[in-house]
Amino acid sequence: MPYMGREPTSTATKLEDADQDTKIQVEESSDEDTIRFDTGGTERMTIASGGAVDVVGSLTGGTLVSDGDATIGDDLNLTSDSAVINFGADSDVKI
């Protein structure tokens, strides 16, 4: 029986700009299964095959929700309109 679905439009492993320093890669090495996001020649984010997301730089947004345990390296700064709470890297905090 002939194939009835849509044929793939591309088998490319990356999408990049003209000077090749900003790109999205889906296979940097053979069978790696990691998506990589680069801007200005620097890798900024990866998504591993197991679902782990690694962001280099600032992660900003209205709300960040953890579905499980959350780990903060270095400093944690919580800010609202009325208060600022800072926990340094050497602080033990339990809520």
Side-chain angles (χ1 to χ4, degrees):
M1 176 178 215
Y3 178 73
M4 302 298 286
R6 293 180 58 184
E7 292 292 325
T9 57
S10 175
T11 57
T13 59
K14 64 184 165 184
L15 172 66
E16 61 188 9
D17 68 351
D19 63 0
Q20 301 176 341
D21 66 349
T22 299
K23 56 191 163 191
I24 300 170
Q25 298 177 84
V26 294
E27 190 141 308
E28 187 175 66
S29 61
S30 180
D31 202 24
E32 177 185 43
D33 299 329
T34 298
I35 302 172
R36 300 175 181 281
F37 299 83
D38 295 23
T39 59
T42 301
E43 188 173 276
R44 307 293 182 181
M45 184 173 82
T46 61
I47 303 174
S49 62
V53 178
D54 185 21
V55 177
V56 176
S58 297
L59 177 63
T60 58
T63 303
L64 179 60
V65 177
S66 173
D67 290 338
D69 293 340
T71 302
I72 309 287
D74 300 333
D75 295 339
L76 169 64
N77 297 304
L78 304 173
T79 306
S80 72
D81 292 337
S82 60
V84 175
I85 303 169
N86 296 298
F87 300 105
D90 295 326
S91 300
D92 290 332
V93 178
K94 293 183 181 179
I95 299 175

